[in-house]
Amino acid sequence: GENVEQHPSTLSVQEGDSAVIKCTYSDSASNYFPWYKQELGKGPQLIIDIRSNVGEKKDQRIAVTLNKTAKHFSLHITETQPEDSAVYFCAASKGGTSYGKLTFGQGTILTVHP
Amino acid sequence: GAVVSQHPSWVICKSGTSVKIECRSLDFQATTMFWYRQFPKQSLMLMATSNEGSKATYEQGVEKDKFLINHASLTLSTLTVTSAHPEDSSFYICSARPGPPGRTQYFGPGTRLTVL
């Protein structure tokens, strides 16, 4: 089955700096890659996603890049703010009979210091 | 848009009792719903996938007789933890996916289950 590795497990930055979180996946058939932000005691919130026919996608301060050949994708957050502090999860899925089942990475605890 | 609710948000029960958790998609129809379990400081572990009107598909190692899933309508799925034990204490999260071709899953706020 699919395996998603996420690094780093913790990331500490100063407010205004950029943060980058990287994920690798094992199944070349995976073609959908969402990123979720989870605050303490809450469910994950979709922040951005990318499909395999696109190499990069940007939404204000957040961007995701995808390298299908290397099977890795990354989340980039610019101009970080204290409210960006949370746990971030990457995930991967493929179509077909899997019904879009997501395989999650281990998560990254992002702390943005004021 | 794309709001998913869960009820209850937290529940405490005695060992041996059963607990039902509801997951609703409030502003869209969900052909597929997913149930996850999350232990403290860990990632989400998929328990099962349910499609409206059909039996749920359970992940390897998840006891289907212990975790009963019903997806009776396009907006409601329920997870019943039967004969709960302390080791079942966890954070249970559902997600809902609108019909194809979209692949996006929208997550509920989670339910904290504590079994005494």
Side-chain angles (χ1 to χ4, degrees):
Chain A
E2 174 66 281
N3 183 50
V4 178
E5 295 288 331
Q6 183 173 345
H7 298 280
S9 56
T10 61
L11 180 59
S12 184
V13 300
Q14 289 295 128
E15 182 177 2
D17 288 349
S18 295
V20 180
I21 303 171
K22 299 182 179 181
C23 289
T24 60
Y25 60 99
S26 61
D27 192 340
S28 57
S30 290
N31 54 16
Y32 173 65
F33 308 92
W35 285 88
Y36 288 89
K37 174 184 180 181
Q38 186 178 28
E39 297 177 341
L40 191 63
K42 298 183 179 180
Q45 177 189 8
L46 178 72
I47 55 172
I48 196 167
D49 57 10
I50 192 168
R51 300 181 189 277
S52 60
N53 59 347
V54 176
E56 182 174 359
K57 184 176 179 180
K58 190 173 182 180
D59 182 5
Q60 299 183 338
R61 296 187 297 111
I62 295 173
V64 57
T65 58
L66 170 65
N67 184 326
K68 284 193 299 181
T69 302
K71 289 190 283 189
H72 68 69
F73 56 112
S74 301
L75 176 71
H76 304 253
I77 305 175
T78 59
E79 300 172 24
T80 54
Q81 302 166 2
E83 49 266 39
D84 293 330
S85 297
V87 182
Y88 290 80
F89 291 99
C90 63
S93 84
K94 56 185 177 183
T97 57
S98 71
Y99 297 104
K101 183 169 70 173
L102 291 173
T103 301
F104 282 87
Q106 296 85 349
T108 296
I109 301 172
L110 173 64
T111 304
V112 180
H113 299 280
Chain B
V3 179
V4 177
S5 70
Q6 278 184 245
H7 179 79
S9 56
W10 59 270
V11 57
I12 301 173
C13 69
K14 293 182 178 180
S15 185
T17 61
S18 294
V19 174
K20 180 183 284 189
I21 302 170
E22 291 186 350
C23 175
R24 293 182 186 272
S25 55
L26 299 185
D27 51 4
F28 65 96
Q29 292 187 326
T31 55
T32 307
M33 287 185 169
F34 303 85
W35 286 95
Y36 296 83
R37 185 173 181 177
Q38 187 178 35
F39 291 106
K41 297 186 179 181
Q42 292 190 22
S43 189
L44 289 82
M45 182 190 78
L46 179 65
M47 299 175 66
T49 302
S50 74
N51 290 287
E52 186 262 342
S54 61
K55 289 184 179 180
T57 302
Y58 291 81
E59 294 300 299
Q60 191 173 8
V62 178
E63 300 175 59
K64 62 180 180 180
D65 294 331
K66 181 167 187 60
F67 299 100
L68 302 178
I69 292 171
N70 183 279
H71 192 161
S73 77
L74 286 172
T75 59
L76 173 65
S77 177
T78 61
L79 167 67
T80 301
V81 183
T82 62
S83 186
H85 288 94
E87 57 265 31
D88 298 324
S89 298
S90 189
F91 193 50
Y92 292 89
I93 313 172
C94 73
S95 71
R97 188 178 77 98
R103 198 86 63 78
T104 304
Q105 286 187 32
Y106 300 97
F107 283 80
T111 296
R112 173 74 58 192
L113 170 64
T114 301
V115 184
L116 301 176

